PDB file of all heavy atoms in Angstrom:
ATOM      1  N   THR K   2      76.180 102.977  64.371  1.00 90.00           N
ATOM      2  CA  THR K   2      77.500 102.385  64.593  1.00 90.00           C
ATOM      3  C   THR K   2      77.780 102.267  66.081  1.00 90.00           C
ATOM      4  O   THR K   2      78.229 101.230  66.566  1.00 90.00           O
ATOM      5  CB  THR K   2      78.582 103.282  63.961  1.00 90.00           C
ATOM      6  OG1 THR K   2      78.182 103.563  62.637  1.00 90.00           O
ATOM      7  CG2 THR K   2      79.920 102.604  63.969  1.00 90.00           C
ATOM      8  N   VAL K   6      78.612  99.140  68.560  1.00 95.00           N
ATOM      9  CA  VAL K   6      79.818  99.077  69.388  1.00 95.00           C
ATOM     10  C   VAL K   6      79.456  98.712  70.821  1.00 95.00           C
ATOM     11  O   VAL K   6      80.028  97.797  71.417  1.00 95.00           O
ATOM     12  CB  VAL K   6      80.558 100.434  69.383  1.00 95.00           C
ATOM     13  CG1 VAL K   6      81.648 100.458  70.441  1.00 95.00           C
ATOM     14  CG2 VAL K   6      81.138 100.707  68.008  1.00 95.00           C
ATOM     15  N   ILE K   9      78.335  95.119  71.182  1.00 94.00           N
ATOM     16  CA  ILE K   9      79.464  94.173  71.209  1.00 94.00           C
ATOM     17  C   ILE K   9      80.126  94.204  72.574  1.00 94.00           C
ATOM     18  O   ILE K   9      80.419  93.174  73.178  1.00 94.00           O
ATOM     19  CB  ILE K   9      80.513  94.541  70.124  1.00 94.00           C
ATOM     20  CG1 ILE K   9      79.916  94.396  68.728  1.00 94.00           C
ATOM     21  CG2 ILE K   9      81.754  93.659  70.272  1.00 94.00           C
ATOM     22  CD1 ILE K   9      80.804  94.972  67.631  1.00 94.00           C
ATOM     23  N   LYS K  10      80.333  95.429  73.105  1.00 94.00           N
ATOM     24  CA  LYS K  10      81.014  95.547  74.383  1.00 94.00           C
ATOM     25  C   LYS K  10      80.218  94.871  75.499  1.00 94.00           C
ATOM     26  O   LYS K  10      80.761  94.131  76.306  1.00 94.00           O
ATOM     27  CB  LYS K  10      81.251  97.023  74.727  1.00 94.00           C
ATOM     28  CG  LYS K  10      82.503  97.566  74.071  1.00 94.00           C
ATOM     29  CD  LYS K  10      82.510  99.063  73.976  1.00 94.00           C
ATOM     30  CE  LYS K  10      82.700  99.753  75.284  1.00 94.00           C
ATOM     31  NZ  LYS K  10      82.749 101.222  75.107  1.00 94.00           N
ATOM     32  N   SER K  13      80.080  90.978  75.128  1.00 91.00           N
ATOM     33  CA  SER K  13      81.334  90.215  75.116  1.00 91.00           C
ATOM     34  C   SER K  13      81.903  90.085  76.529  1.00 91.00           C
ATOM     35  O   SER K  13      83.034  89.673  76.710  1.00 91.00           O
ATOM     36  CB  SER K  13      82.350  90.849  74.160  1.00 91.00           C
ATOM     37  OG  SER K  13      82.561  92.199  74.481  1.00 91.00           O
ATOM     38  N   THR K  14      81.106  90.458  77.544  1.00 90.00           N
ATOM     39  CA  THR K  14      81.508  90.188  78.927  1.00 90.00           C
ATOM     40  C   THR K  14      80.403  89.356  79.566  1.00 90.00           C
ATOM     41  O   THR K  14      79.317  89.221  78.997  1.00 90.00           O
ATOM     42  CB  THR K  14      81.685  91.490  79.731  1.00 90.00           C
ATOM     43  OG1 THR K  14      80.441  92.167  79.748  1.00 90.00           O
ATOM     44  CG2 THR K  14      82.736  92.380  79.095  1.00 90.00           C
ATOM     45  N   ARG K  15      80.687  88.810  80.736  1.00 89.00           N
ATOM     46  CA  ARG K  15      79.728  87.867  81.298  1.00 89.00           C
ATOM     47  C   ARG K  15      78.670  88.503  82.189  1.00 89.00           C
ATOM     48  O   ARG K  15      77.591  87.957  82.345  1.00 89.00           O
ATOM     49  CB  ARG K  15      80.480  86.800  82.097  1.00 89.00           C
ATOM     50  CG  ARG K  15      81.111  85.753  81.213  1.00 89.00           C
ATOM     51  CD  ARG K  15      81.790  84.702  82.053  1.00 89.00           C
ATOM     52  NE  ARG K  15      82.725  85.312  82.996  1.00 89.00           N
ATOM     53  CZ  ARG K  15      83.609  84.631  83.705  1.00 89.00           C
ATOM     54  NH1 ARG K  15      83.657  83.328  83.590  1.00 89.00           N
ATOM     55  NH2 ARG K  15      84.429  85.249  84.533  1.00 89.00           N
ATOM     56  N   PHE K  72      88.391  99.185  84.469  1.00 94.00           N
ATOM     57  CA  PHE K  72      89.403  98.556  83.630  1.00 94.00           C
ATOM     58  C   PHE K  72      89.997  99.514  82.598  1.00 94.00           C
ATOM     59  O   PHE K  72      90.784  99.112  81.757  1.00 94.00           O
ATOM     60  CB  PHE K  72      88.823  97.326  82.930  1.00 94.00           C
ATOM     61  CG  PHE K  72      88.389  96.261  83.888  1.00 94.00           C
ATOM     62  CD1 PHE K  72      87.071  95.852  83.953  1.00 94.00           C
ATOM     63  CD2 PHE K  72      89.306  95.694  84.770  1.00 94.00           C
ATOM     64  CE1 PHE K  72      86.677  94.890  84.859  1.00 94.00           C
ATOM     65  CE2 PHE K  72      88.910  94.725  85.674  1.00 94.00           C
ATOM     66  CZ  PHE K  72      87.591  94.328  85.722  1.00 94.00           C
ATOM     67  N   GLY K  73      89.593 100.777  82.649  1.00 93.00           N
ATOM     68  CA  GLY K  73      90.199 101.756  81.731  1.00 93.00           C
ATOM     69  C   GLY K  73      89.641 101.698  80.321  1.00 93.00           C
ATOM     70  O   GLY K  73      90.073 102.460  79.463  1.00 93.00           O
ATOM     71  N   THR K  74      88.693 100.794  80.067  1.00 94.00           N
ATOM     72  CA  THR K  74      88.168 100.715  78.701  1.00 94.00           C
ATOM     73  C   THR K  74      87.363 101.957  78.328  1.00 94.00           C
ATOM     74  O   THR K  74      87.145 102.211  77.162  1.00 94.00           O
ATOM     75  CB  THR K  74      87.294  99.462  78.502  1.00 94.00           C
ATOM     76  OG1 THR K  74      86.335  99.423  79.554  1.00 94.00           O
ATOM     77  CG2 THR K  74      88.125  98.210  78.526  1.00 94.00           C
ATOM     78  N   ARG K  76      88.478 104.877  78.612  1.00 95.00           N
ATOM     79  CA  ARG K  76      89.437 105.727  77.903  1.00 95.00           C
ATOM     80  C   ARG K  76      89.622 105.223  76.477  1.00 95.00           C
ATOM     81  O   ARG K  76      89.674 106.001  75.530  1.00 95.00           O
ATOM     82  CB  ARG K  76      90.760 105.772  78.651  1.00 95.00           C
ATOM     83  CG  ARG K  76      90.606 106.423  80.009  1.00 95.00           C
ATOM     84  CD  ARG K  76      91.919 106.520  80.764  1.00 95.00           C
ATOM     85  NE  ARG K  76      91.615 106.745  82.172  1.00 95.00           N
ATOM     86  CZ  ARG K  76      91.543 105.794  83.081  1.00 95.00           C
ATOM     87  NH1 ARG K  76      91.805 104.540  82.751  1.00 95.00           N
ATOM     88  NH2 ARG K  76      91.235 106.069  84.321  1.00 95.00           N
ATOM     89  N   THR K  78      87.413 103.759  74.858  1.00 95.00           N
ATOM     90  CA  THR K  78      86.176 104.159  74.178  1.00 95.00           C
ATOM     91  C   THR K  78      86.254 105.611  73.732  1.00 95.00           C
ATOM     92  O   THR K  78      85.910 105.946  72.593  1.00 95.00           O
ATOM     93  CB  THR K  78      84.968 103.977  75.123  1.00 95.00           C
ATOM     94  OG1 THR K  78      84.904 102.616  75.523  1.00 95.00           O
ATOM     95  CG2 THR K  78      83.667 104.371  74.440  1.00 95.00           C
ATOM     96  N   LEU K  80      88.875 107.283  73.151  1.00 96.00           N
ATOM     97  CA  LEU K  80      89.862 107.422  72.078  1.00 96.00           C
ATOM     98  C   LEU K  80      89.228 107.079  70.736  1.00 96.00           C
ATOM     99  O   LEU K  80      89.490 107.721  69.724  1.00 96.00           O
ATOM    100  CB  LEU K  80      91.060 106.500  72.319  1.00 96.00           C
ATOM    101  CG  LEU K  80      92.041 106.913  73.415  1.00 96.00           C
ATOM    102  CD1 LEU K  80      93.214 105.948  73.460  1.00 96.00           C
ATOM    103  CD2 LEU K  80      92.554 108.329  73.182  1.00 96.00           C
ATOM    104  N   ALA K  81      88.390 106.040  70.748  1.00 96.00           N
ATOM    105  CA  ALA K  81      87.745 105.623  69.504  1.00 96.00           C
ATOM    106  C   ALA K  81      86.618 106.584  69.130  1.00 96.00           C
ATOM    107  O   ALA K  81      86.373 106.843  67.953  1.00 96.00           O
ATOM    108  CB  ALA K  81      87.201 104.206  69.654  1.00 96.00           C
ATOM    109  N   PRO K  83      85.704 110.259  70.282  1.00 95.00           N
ATOM    110  CA  PRO K  83      85.996 111.421  71.134  1.00 95.00           C
ATOM    111  C   PRO K  83      84.736 112.164  71.590  1.00 95.00           C
ATOM    112  O   PRO K  83      84.772 112.866  72.590  1.00 95.00           O
ATOM    113  CB  PRO K  83      86.855 112.311  70.240  1.00 95.00           C
ATOM    114  CG  PRO K  83      87.363 111.429  69.163  1.00 95.00           C
ATOM    115  CD  PRO K  83      86.340 110.363  68.968  1.00 95.00           C
ATOM    116  N   ARG K  85      82.175 112.183  73.642  1.00 96.00           N
ATOM    117  CA  ARG K  85      81.827 111.359  74.799  1.00 96.00           C
ATOM    118  C   ARG K  85      80.318 111.248  74.970  1.00 96.00           C
ATOM    119  O   ARG K  85      79.800 110.202  75.354  1.00 96.00           O
ATOM    120  CB  ARG K  85      82.434 111.956  76.063  1.00 96.00           C
ATOM    121  CG  ARG K  85      83.936 111.963  76.017  1.00 96.00           C
ATOM    122  CD  ARG K  85      84.525 112.554  77.270  1.00 96.00           C
ATOM    123  NE  ARG K  85      85.972 112.683  77.122  1.00 96.00           N
ATOM    124  CZ  ARG K  85      86.774 113.137  78.062  1.00 96.00           C
ATOM    125  NH1 ARG K  85      86.271 113.526  79.221  1.00 96.00           N
ATOM    126  NH2 ARG K  85      88.069 113.226  77.859  1.00 96.00           N
ATOM    127  N   ASP K 248      88.383 114.945  83.245  1.00 92.00           N
ATOM    128  CA  ASP K 248      89.462 114.223  82.585  1.00 92.00           C
ATOM    129  C   ASP K 248      89.142 112.734  82.659  1.00 92.00           C
ATOM    130  O   ASP K 248      88.748 112.236  83.701  1.00 92.00           O
ATOM    131  CB  ASP K 248      90.803 114.481  83.281  1.00 92.00           C
ATOM    132  CG  ASP K 248      91.326 115.883  82.988  1.00 92.00           C
ATOM    133  OD1 ASP K 248      90.872 116.483  81.992  1.00 92.00           O
ATOM    134  OD2 ASP K 248      92.171 116.375  83.752  1.00 92.00           O
ATOM    135  N   ALA K 249      89.297 112.062  81.520  1.00 84.00           N
ATOM    136  CA  ALA K 249      88.941 110.643  81.495  1.00 84.00           C
ATOM    137  C   ALA K 249      90.046 109.815  82.150  1.00 84.00           C
ATOM    138  O   ALA K 249      91.188 110.162  82.120  1.00 84.00           O
ATOM    139  CB  ALA K 249      88.735 110.170  80.071  1.00 84.00           C
TER     140      ALA K 249
ATOM    141  N   LYS O   9      99.256 121.811  82.238  1.00 95.00           N
ATOM    142  CA  LYS O   9      98.240 121.066  82.971  1.00 95.00           C
ATOM    143  C   LYS O   9      98.565 121.185  84.455  1.00 95.00           C
ATOM    144  O   LYS O   9      99.590 120.702  84.909  1.00 95.00           O
ATOM    145  CB  LYS O   9      98.245 119.589  82.560  1.00 95.00           C
ATOM    146  CG  LYS O   9      97.205 118.752  83.285  1.00 95.00           C
ATOM    147  CD  LYS O   9      95.809 119.103  82.845  1.00 95.00           C
ATOM    148  CE  LYS O   9      94.754 118.306  83.581  1.00 95.00           C
ATOM    149  NZ  LYS O   9      93.399 118.693  83.176  1.00 95.00           N
ATOM    150  N   LEU O  48      95.715 113.212  73.169  1.00 96.00           N
ATOM    151  CA  LEU O  48      94.613 112.347  72.758  1.00 96.00           C
ATOM    152  C   LEU O  48      93.249 112.828  73.250  1.00 96.00           C
ATOM    153  O   LEU O  48      92.256 112.124  73.120  1.00 96.00           O
ATOM    154  CB  LEU O  48      94.872 110.930  73.274  1.00 96.00           C
ATOM    155  CG  LEU O  48      96.122 110.287  72.669  1.00 96.00           C
ATOM    156  CD1 LEU O  48      96.516 109.047  73.437  1.00 96.00           C
ATOM    157  CD2 LEU O  48      95.893 109.951  71.204  1.00 96.00           C
ATOM    158  N   GLY O  49      93.220 114.011  73.841  1.00 95.00           N
ATOM    159  CA  GLY O  49      91.930 114.579  74.231  1.00 95.00           C
ATOM    160  C   GLY O  49      91.300 113.921  75.446  1.00 95.00           C
ATOM    161  O   GLY O  49      90.127 114.140  75.727  1.00 95.00           O
ATOM    162  N   LEU O  50      92.061 113.081  76.163  1.00 95.00           N
ATOM    163  CA  LEU O  50      91.484 112.464  77.359  1.00 95.00           C
ATOM    164  C   LEU O  50      91.487 113.458  78.518  1.00 95.00           C
ATOM    165  O   LEU O  50      90.550 113.510  79.296  1.00 95.00           O
ATOM    166  CB  LEU O  50      92.274 111.210  77.749  1.00 95.00           C
ATOM    167  CG  LEU O  50      92.133 110.020  76.794  1.00 95.00           C
ATOM    168  CD1 LEU O  50      93.032 108.880  77.231  1.00 95.00           C
ATOM    169  CD2 LEU O  50      90.692 109.550  76.716  1.00 95.00           C
ATOM    170  N   ASP O  51      92.563 114.227  78.630  1.00 95.00           N
ATOM    171  CA  ASP O  51      92.645 115.274  79.644  1.00 95.00           C
ATOM    172  C   ASP O  51      92.594 116.629  78.944  1.00 95.00           C
ATOM    173  O   ASP O  51      93.132 116.782  77.856  1.00 95.00           O
ATOM    174  CB  ASP O  51      93.961 115.173  80.430  1.00 95.00           C
ATOM    175  CG  ASP O  51      93.963 113.972  81.380  1.00 95.00           C
ATOM    176  OD1 ASP O  51      93.008 113.183  81.318  1.00 95.00           O
ATOM    177  OD2 ASP O  51      94.912 113.845  82.162  1.00 95.00           O
ATOM    178  N   THR O  52      91.938 117.573  79.577  1.00 94.00           N
ATOM    179  CA  THR O  52      91.847 118.905  79.004  1.00 94.00           C
ATOM    180  C   THR O  52      92.998 119.754  79.543  1.00 94.00           C
ATOM    181  O   THR O  52      93.179 119.827  80.755  1.00 94.00           O
ATOM    182  CB  THR O  52      90.514 119.561  79.403  1.00 94.00           C
ATOM    183  OG1 THR O  52      89.483 118.587  79.216  1.00 94.00           O
ATOM    184  CG2 THR O  52      90.213 120.774  78.552  1.00 94.00           C
ATOM    185  N   TYR O  65      92.448 116.454  68.685  1.00 96.00           N
ATOM    186  CA  TYR O  65      92.040 115.047  68.590  1.00 96.00           C
ATOM    187  C   TYR O  65      90.524 114.924  68.516  1.00 96.00           C
ATOM    188  O   TYR O  65      89.984 114.126  67.759  1.00 96.00           O
ATOM    189  CB  TYR O  65      92.576 114.260  69.793  1.00 96.00           C
ATOM    190  CG  TYR O  65      92.372 112.776  69.674  1.00 96.00           C
ATOM    191  CD1 TYR O  65      93.309 111.984  69.028  1.00 96.00           C
ATOM    192  CD2 TYR O  65      91.230 112.155  70.177  1.00 96.00           C
ATOM    193  CE1 TYR O  65      93.142 110.619  68.893  1.00 96.00           C
ATOM    194  CE2 TYR O  65      91.030 110.787  70.054  1.00 96.00           C
ATOM    195  CZ  TYR O  65      91.997 110.028  69.408  1.00 96.00           C
ATOM    196  OH  TYR O  65      91.796 108.672  69.271  1.00 96.00           O
ATOM    197  N   PRO O  71      89.003 108.850  64.556  1.00 96.00           N
ATOM    198  CA  PRO O  71      90.350 109.079  65.097  1.00 96.00           C
ATOM    199  C   PRO O  71      91.292 107.885  64.991  1.00 96.00           C
ATOM    200  O   PRO O  71      92.488 108.072  64.821  1.00 96.00           O
ATOM    201  CB  PRO O  71      90.091 109.457  66.558  1.00 96.00           C
ATOM    202  CG  PRO O  71      88.698 109.067  66.846  1.00 96.00           C
ATOM    203  CD  PRO O  71      87.963 109.105  65.562  1.00 96.00           C
ATOM    204  N   LYS O  82      96.755  97.725  80.009  1.00 87.00           N
ATOM    205  CA  LYS O  82      95.744  97.133  80.890  1.00 87.00           C
ATOM    206  C   LYS O  82      94.331  97.629  80.570  1.00 87.00           C
ATOM    207  O   LYS O  82      93.370  97.221  81.200  1.00 87.00           O
ATOM    208  CB  LYS O  82      96.073  97.454  82.349  1.00 87.00           C
ATOM    209  CG  LYS O  82      97.277  96.682  82.870  1.00 87.00           C
ATOM    210  CD  LYS O  82      96.812  95.432  83.580  1.00 87.00           C
ATOM    211  CE  LYS O  82      97.847  94.404  83.902  1.00 87.00           C
ATOM    212  NZ  LYS O  82      99.021  94.247  83.171  1.00 87.00           N
ATOM    213  N   TRP O  83      94.201  98.517  79.617  1.00 91.00           N
ATOM    214  CA  TRP O  83      92.886  99.073  79.288  1.00 91.00           C
ATOM    215  C   TRP O  83      92.061  98.097  78.442  1.00 91.00           C
ATOM    216  O   TRP O  83      91.616  98.416  77.354  1.00 91.00           O
ATOM    217  CB  TRP O  83      93.029 100.409  78.556  1.00 91.00           C
ATOM    218  CG  TRP O  83      93.484 101.513  79.446  1.00 91.00           C
ATOM    219  CD1 TRP O  83      93.717 101.454  80.785  1.00 91.00           C
ATOM    220  CD2 TRP O  83      93.802 102.859  79.075  1.00 91.00           C
ATOM    221  NE1 TRP O  83      94.148 102.666  81.250  1.00 91.00           N
ATOM    222  CE2 TRP O  83      94.209 103.542  80.229  1.00 91.00           C
ATOM    223  CE3 TRP O  83      93.771 103.546  77.846  1.00 91.00           C
ATOM    224  CZ2 TRP O  83      94.585 104.884  80.205  1.00 91.00           C
ATOM    225  CZ3 TRP O  83      94.144 104.878  77.827  1.00 91.00           C
ATOM    226  CH2 TRP O  83      94.536 105.531  79.008  1.00 91.00           C
ATOM    227  N   HIS O  85      88.995  94.915  79.016  1.00 93.00           N
ATOM    228  CA  HIS O  85      88.160  94.193  79.976  1.00 93.00           C
ATOM    229  C   HIS O  85      88.692  92.770  80.106  1.00 93.00           C
ATOM    230  O   HIS O  85      88.838  92.078  79.104  1.00 93.00           O
ATOM    231  CB  HIS O  85      86.707  94.175  79.499  1.00 93.00           C
ATOM    232  CG  HIS O  85      85.751  93.771  80.584  1.00 93.00           C
ATOM    233  ND1 HIS O  85      85.766  92.502  81.111  1.00 93.00           N
ATOM    234  CD2 HIS O  85      84.801  94.457  81.248  1.00 93.00           C
ATOM    235  CE1 HIS O  85      84.837  92.436  82.058  1.00 93.00           C
ATOM    236  NE2 HIS O  85      84.242  93.602  82.164  1.00 93.00           N
ATOM    237  N   PRO O  86      88.994  92.334  81.345  1.00 92.00           N
ATOM    238  CA  PRO O  86      89.647  91.026  81.503  1.00 92.00           C
ATOM    239  C   PRO O  86      88.811  89.851  81.013  1.00 92.00           C
ATOM    240  O   PRO O  86      89.358  88.805  80.690  1.00 92.00           O
ATOM    241  CB  PRO O  86      89.895  90.935  83.015  1.00 92.00           C
ATOM    242  CG  PRO O  86      89.011  91.950  83.629  1.00 92.00           C
ATOM    243  CD  PRO O  86      88.819  93.031  82.627  1.00 92.00           C
ATOM    244  N   ASN O  87      87.495  90.014  80.964  1.00 91.00           N
ATOM    245  CA  ASN O  87      86.657  88.901  80.518  1.00 91.00           C
ATOM    246  C   ASN O  87      86.371  88.944  79.025  1.00 91.00           C
ATOM    247  O   ASN O  87      85.644  88.106  78.506  1.00 91.00           O
ATOM    248  CB  ASN O  87      85.323  88.902  81.268  1.00 91.00           C
ATOM    249  CG  ASN O  87      85.476  88.312  82.646  1.00 91.00           C
ATOM    250  OD1 ASN O  87      86.384  87.521  82.874  1.00 91.00           O
ATOM    251  ND2 ASN O  87      84.626  88.718  83.560  1.00 91.00           N
ATOM    252  N   ARG O  88      86.924  89.939  78.347  1.00 93.00           N
ATOM    253  CA  ARG O  88      86.638  90.058  76.916  1.00 93.00           C
ATOM    254  C   ARG O  88      87.784  89.407  76.145  1.00 93.00           C
ATOM    255  O   ARG O  88      88.944  89.550  76.530  1.00 93.00           O
ATOM    256  CB  ARG O  88      86.523  91.545  76.577  1.00 93.00           C
ATOM    257  CG  ARG O  88      85.767  91.837  75.316  1.00 93.00           C
ATOM    258  CD  ARG O  88      85.543  93.339  75.170  1.00 93.00           C
ATOM    259  NE  ARG O  88      84.355  93.805  75.872  1.00 93.00           N
ATOM    260  CZ  ARG O  88      84.261  95.002  76.450  1.00 93.00           C
ATOM    261  NH1 ARG O  88      85.269  95.836  76.429  1.00 93.00           N
ATOM    262  NH2 ARG O  88      83.148  95.350  77.058  1.00 93.00           N
ATOM    263  N   VAL O  99      84.700  98.402  64.730  1.00 95.00           N
ATOM    264  CA  VAL O  99      83.344  98.824  64.356  1.00 95.00           C
ATOM    265  C   VAL O  99      83.139 100.311  64.633  1.00 95.00           C
ATOM    266  O   VAL O  99      82.536 101.031  63.841  1.00 95.00           O
ATOM    267  CB  VAL O  99      82.293  97.970  65.115  1.00 95.00           C
ATOM    268  CG1 VAL O  99      80.900  98.530  64.926  1.00 95.00           C
ATOM    269  CG2 VAL O  99      82.355  96.521  64.641  1.00 95.00           C
ATOM    270  N   SER O 100      83.708 100.787  65.750  1.00 95.00           N
ATOM    271  CA  SER O 100      83.475 102.178  66.140  1.00 95.00           C
ATOM    272  C   SER O 100      84.028 103.167  65.115  1.00 95.00           C
ATOM    273  O   SER O 100      83.554 104.293  65.023  1.00 95.00           O
ATOM    274  CB  SER O 100      84.104 102.450  67.506  1.00 95.00           C
ATOM    275  OG  SER O 100      85.517 102.441  67.398  1.00 95.00           O
ATOM    276  N   ASN O 101      85.058 102.762  64.363  1.00 96.00           N
ATOM    277  CA  ASN O 101      85.645 103.666  63.377  1.00 96.00           C
ATOM    278  C   ASN O 101      85.444 103.171  61.951  1.00 96.00           C
ATOM    279  O   ASN O 101      86.176 103.541  61.039  1.00 96.00           O
ATOM    280  CB  ASN O 101      87.132 103.884  63.668  1.00 96.00           C
ATOM    281  CG  ASN O 101      87.355 104.957  64.727  1.00 96.00           C
ATOM    282  OD1 ASN O 101      87.938 105.990  64.479  1.00 96.00           O
ATOM    283  ND2 ASN O 101      86.828 104.718  65.931  1.00 96.00           N
ATOM    284  N   LYS O 102      84.443 102.291  61.782  1.00 95.00           N
ATOM    285  CA  LYS O 102      84.110 101.735  60.469  1.00 95.00           C
ATOM    286  C   LYS O 102      85.330 101.124  59.765  1.00 95.00           C
ATOM    287  O   LYS O 102      85.524 101.289  58.570  1.00 95.00           O
ATOM    288  CB  LYS O 102      83.465 102.809  59.580  1.00 95.00           C
ATOM    289  CG  LYS O 102      82.135 103.341  60.109  1.00 95.00           C
ATOM    290  CD  LYS O 102      81.340 104.039  58.997  1.00 95.00           C
ATOM    291  CE  LYS O 102      79.898 104.266  59.363  1.00 95.00           C
ATOM    292  NZ  LYS O 102      79.700 105.206  60.467  1.00 95.00           N
TER     293      LYS O 102
END
Side-chain angles (χ1 to χ4, degrees):
Chain K
T2 310
V6 169
I9 296 170
K10 276 160 72 178
S13 55
T14 61
R15 282 182 307 191
F72 297 119
T74 51
R76 296 182 198 95
T78 301
L80 286 184
R85 297 180 186 182
D248 286 340
Chain O
K9 180 70 181 178
L48 296 167
L50 290 176
D51 288 7
T52 315
Y65 188 87
K82 288 265 167 333
W83 288 357
H85 195 294
N87 281 335
R88 201 172 274 146
V99 171
S100 70
N101 277 243
K102 297 198 165 66

